[in-house]
Amino acid sequence: MLREGQIRIPSGCAVAGVIDRLGRRFSGEVIIRSIAAMRDRSNGLGGGFAAYGIYPHYSQWYALHIFYDHHGAKVDCEQYLKQHFEIADQSPIPTRHMQEITDSPLIWRYFVNPIPARLYRCGMDQREYVARSVLAVNRQIDGAYVFSSGKNMGIFKGVGYPEDIARFYRLEEYEGYCFTAHGRYPTNTPGWWGGAHPFGLLDYSVVHNGEISSYDTNRRTIEMYGYSCTLQTDTEVIAYIVDYLHRAKGLTFDEIAQVLAPPFWQAIEEMPPEKRECAAYLRSTFASLLVNGPFSIIVGFSGGLLALNDRLKLRSMVVGEKGDVVYFASEEAAIRVVEPEPDRVWAPKGGEPVIVAQAGGTER
Amino acid sequence: MRIVADNLDSMKLNQRIRKASGSVLIDRCFGQRYIGSGSKDKKITIYGTPGNALGSYLDGATIIVHGNGQDMIGDTMNSGEIVIHGNAGDGLGYAMRGGMIFVRGSAGCRAGIHMKQYQDQKPALVIGGKAGSFLGEYMAGGMIIVLGLGIEDAPVGDFTGTGMHGGCIYIRTNRELAGLPAQVHSEIAAWEDKQEILPLLLRFGAHFGCDGRALADDRYYLLKPNTARPYAQLYTKN
């Protein structure tokens, strides 16, 4: 096998997203066609999707999607789940046999809620309990990886081109109000099933094009708050930062964008006093959560999306709007292929977040 | 020759373009990359959204796009002409060393970075709307014109001309240009300066159906490298 330095693969990751502001549900087919238009940006070593609103019949249950490397991991993990959760349903995630997709792990789905007595005894709120359990499985149970853990949403990912991964998971059979997608070209870390995007915790999901120069600072900081980075891809840390800032610290997504890609000090000094104070506060308080290096990311959450570029705009991101549907993609062509006549198309500036939230917003 | 691109992959589309002689019309283009790369003697007309690195290393051919372009249009182009009847993405005219690019709408970040010139090789980049940040960063030669048509604010972003050491940038605006870096000397363009760009303005007018001559009457900033040793103490005291 040719290794780093012996082979050059000229591509770069692709991200895409689509959301209906009114919460109307549509098939996964749209996002598959959008991400497939950017096939040149991936190299077949990772593809994945986050889909919101797909489990209306189990909307009050946490949907855990889990990879098992071997049957023993499944036995151990299910023992853990039975101790901590009521399980409403469990089954393998339906997949399609495809020659393009090989070496898949065992892929299972569980709809769970914390066992009430146990939750009461430990004194945590429900989401904290679920988040801690997910991180515990990923850290402690060898060969088991919980890669999706939100309510009424799910992440589907693996090694392959994104459109092949979509067919593998039969994504076109799901209907949701919001989807994100990722086509991967791994640069620094292995292409494996757990390392594909999106990364998620609870209902937060992240797809990312770029690389995080500040990864180790970010990782060490977030691990102080009980998170563990176990999946060997830098993007994982962004998912935990979002969970920490939004769920634990109660920041808004606009404020989170300012932590991840803050304005330069020079720009902060030129702001009107009230804005300056807030910007300086976020920049100083969460300095170690600043994400440095080139990136474009799409963060999914219940009822909305956040798209953000690094401050110097070193990766591409285009946004398109048609009525109440908003499209995001690394390339404009990936929007035009699903919506040839958008009302508006624009490229946000570096560090300028685009936040789309439905009325009713996200679960707190 | 007409080619419907749809979901043809980039390599197959470019093979068909290379085989064609004379004019090529590409319809329903969705992000195919490297279109016209290195072409010498063709006219390529595109409807749709051509992908990244459109006309890279272009060597004499003409490319006309009815739609928006993506990133890295005219990367390192040598000669020829690219006309975009829409907007352009990031890295427009990156390291251009000859030829002309006209964009009717706006350009993303890093337009014209590291453009260069040598003897009669003098690239020109004309942007009708506004340009994003880092316009002409590390510029070493050639000419950039930003017309700001339909733009209320200053039509350029932050860090314009940072590290510039050759060439010139014309910016048409009635606003004040603030926050230019130390490596840039700026002044209001005199009548003689504007005569320099008149042929390009006329050509812009001819491509997009506006009065190029009238544009020359307006107020332009002229940005040139600051020759007063702006890097004197960048690394060591000398």
Side-chain angles (χ1 to χ4, degrees):
Chain A
M1 192 183 101
L2 293 176
R3 294 186 183 279
E4 173 104 18
Q6 298 172 305
I7 183 166
R8 159 121 180 95
I9 305 164
S11 46
C13 294
V15 296
V18 54
I19 179 166
D20 187 309
R21 278 208 181 94
L22 303 180
R24 291 170 300 195
R25 291 161 74 224
F26 52 92
S27 153
E29 192 65 41
V30 176
I31 194 74
I32 301 171
R33 279 168 51 219
S34 180
I35 194 78
M38 298 185 286
R39 186 179 169 96
D40 285 352
R41 299 180 75 94
S42 322
N43 69 353
L45 287 180
F49 299 81
Y52 290 82
I54 55 169
Y55 297 136
H57 301 302
Y58 280 115
S59 64
Q60 294 311 308
W61 296 78
Y62 294 89
L64 305 184
H65 294 187
I66 307 182
F67 289 144
Y68 297 120
D69 284 346
H70 47 81
H71 186 71
K74 179 166 176 281
V75 173
D76 293 346
C77 185
E78 287 185 349
Q79 194 184 355
Y80 180 96
L81 293 180
K82 276 177 199 147
Q83 278 170 9
H84 294 81
F85 293 99
E86 289 177 345
I87 302 174
D89 196 358
Q90 67 185 79
S91 62
I93 294 185
T95 54
R96 187 179 269 137
H97 183 71
M98 290 179 59
Q99 64 180 30
E100 293 90 346
I101 305 297
T102 52
D103 299 326
S104 63
L106 304 169
I107 309 170
W108 278 69
R109 175 164 59 203
Y110 305 80
F111 291 99
V112 305
N113 260 314
I115 293 172
R118 224 182 147 100
L119 180 65
Y120 178 75
R121 273 205 306 277
C122 71
M124 283 181 235
D125 82 10
Q126 211 187 50
R127 277 154 63 84
E128 178 73 16
Y129 182 99
V130 175
R132 285 201 191 192
S133 304
V134 168
L135 291 162
V137 168
N138 291 351
R139 190 170 49 228
Q140 291 164 13
I141 301 179
D142 186 44
Y145 307 96
V146 182
F147 61 97
S148 182
S149 50
K151 277 183 178 174
N152 201 11
M153 62 82 69
I155 290 169
F156 303 88
K157 65 184 190 179
V159 174
Y161 281 98
E163 59 273 30
D164 297 335
I165 289 293
R167 302 293 172 206
F168 174 77
Y169 281 109
R170 313 165 76 113
L171 192 73
E172 73 281 0
E173 294 173 6
Y174 293 85
E175 284 194 344
Y177 60 83
C178 169
F179 293 85
T180 65
H182 186 263
R184 187 167 187 223
Y185 162 41
T187 41
N188 300 319
T189 49
W192 68 294
W193 283 69
H197 303 213
F199 287 89
L201 187 61
L202 298 171
D203 58 309
Y204 308 107
S205 68
V206 179
V207 290
H208 165 226
N209 168 21
E211 64 178 280
I212 307 175
S213 327
S214 57
Y215 174 69
D216 227 38
T217 302
N218 301 146
R219 182 187 60 77
R220 273 178 288 164
T221 307
I222 206 70
E223 287 192 342
M224 289 196 303
Y225 304 115
Y227 299 86
S228 319
C229 294
T230 52
L231 300 172
Q232 299 174 53
T233 301
D234 53 3
T235 308
E236 181 185 16
V237 78
I238 302 181
Y240 301 155
I241 291 174
V242 169
D243 176 66
Y244 173 68
L245 293 177
H246 189 257
R247 182 175 59 84
K249 304 308 282 185
L251 266 56
T252 65
F253 281 101
D254 200 46
E255 289 162 344
I256 291 169
Q258 278 193 61
V259 170
L260 297 174
F264 293 102
W265 282 113
Q266 191 188 333
I268 291 176
E269 277 161 26
E270 289 163 9
M271 288 175 178
E274 207 171 295
K275 228 179 139 191
R276 179 170 60 214
E277 206 178 321
C278 178
Y281 171 78
L282 290 171
R283 169 108 210 221
S284 319
T285 311
F286 301 108
S288 308
L289 298 180
L290 184 159
V291 175
N292 221 333
F295 68 81
S296 61
I297 56 171
I298 305 175
V299 176
F301 52 91
S302 288
L305 283 182
L306 155 71
L308 182 69
N309 272 114
D310 66 273
R311 302 175 291 172
L312 299 179
K313 183 71 168 44
L314 290 160
R315 288 292 180 272
S316 48
M317 174 77 78
V318 182
V319 188
E321 232 175 20
K322 177 78 174 182
D324 286 303
V325 182
V326 188
Y327 300 87
F328 301 83
S330 302
E331 298 183 14
E332 185 175 327
I335 295 174
R336 299 252 174 206
V337 81
V338 289
E339 179 45 70
E341 301 286 341
D343 301 332
R344 194 158 80 97
V345 177
W346 76 102
K349 290 184 203 161
E352 175 196 355
V354 177
I355 300 165
V356 178
Q358 291 164 0
T362 183
E363 189 181 333
R364 243 287 71 105
Chain B
M1 182 181 171
R2 178 169 177 269
I3 304 170
V4 179
D6 266 330
N7 53 4
L8 262 185
D9 70 45
S10 301
M11 195 191 287
K12 287 203 185 91
L13 176 62
N14 281 298
Q15 281 167 350
R16 290 183 61 181
I17 294 170
R18 271 196 289 276
K19 273 187 203 151
S21 55
S23 295
V24 182
L25 191 147
I26 301 167
D27 208 357
R28 296 181 55 82
C29 188
F30 288 111
Q32 285 86 356
R33 294 182 172 199
Y34 317 114
I35 293 176
S37 183
S39 286
K40 286 186 196 314
D41 53 3
K42 282 194 173 65
K43 182 180 174 194
I44 303 171
T45 307
I46 302 166
Y47 288 84
T49 312
N52 295 1
L54 169 76
S56 57
Y57 303 93
L58 199 72
D59 200 15
T62 299
I63 297 178
I64 297 165
V65 179
H66 297 277
N68 296 334
Q70 293 190 165
D71 299 339
M72 308 300 293
I73 296 168
D75 179 0
T76 323
M77 84 184 255
N78 195 45
S79 71
E81 187 172 15
I82 300 177
V83 181
I84 313 280
H85 288 257
N87 299 322
D90 295 341
L92 169 72
Y94 181 113
M96 241 180 125
R97 38 193 255 179
M100 290 177 279
I101 299 180
F102 295 91
V103 178
R104 180 180 210 155
S106 294
C109 295
R110 296 187 173 73
I113 69 171
H114 222 306
M115 276 169 69
K116 57 200 78 172
Q117 70 184 58
Y118 180 66
Q119 295 180 348
D120 58 346
Q121 282 284 86
K122 212 175 163 187
L125 172 57
V126 186
I127 297 161
K130 63 182 177 187
S133 50
F134 298 100
L135 174 75
E137 189 189 29
Y138 302 118
M139 191 176 177
M143 185 183 280
I144 299 175
I145 304 172
V146 180
L147 295 175
L149 295 167
I151 306 294
E152 288 287 315
D153 300 329
V156 293
D158 296 333
F159 310 109
T160 297
T162 300
M164 178 179 184
H165 50 101
C168 57
I169 304 176
Y170 285 76
I171 299 166
R172 176 180 165 276
T173 182
N174 288 321
R175 301 272 171 160
E176 293 309 301
L177 276 190
L180 291 170
Q183 299 96 37
V184 171
H185 168 84
S186 81
E187 61 189 33
I188 303 297
W191 185 84
E192 305 83 62
D193 298 323
K194 290 193 279 191
Q195 293 310 298
E196 293 279 313
I197 60 169
L198 186 59
L200 287 166
L201 295 178
L202 291 173
R203 209 171 168 88
F204 181 89
H207 282 311
F208 304 125
C210 63
D211 186 348
R213 190 172 296 279
L215 286 173
D217 296 335
D218 297 336
R219 177 176 179 266
Y220 287 78
Y221 276 90
L222 171 54
L223 275 51
K224 287 180 173 170
N226 179 359
T227 51
R229 303 183 70 226
Y231 302 100
Q233 291 196 355
L234 192 56
Y235 298 113
T236 55
K237 285 192 178 177
N238 57 7

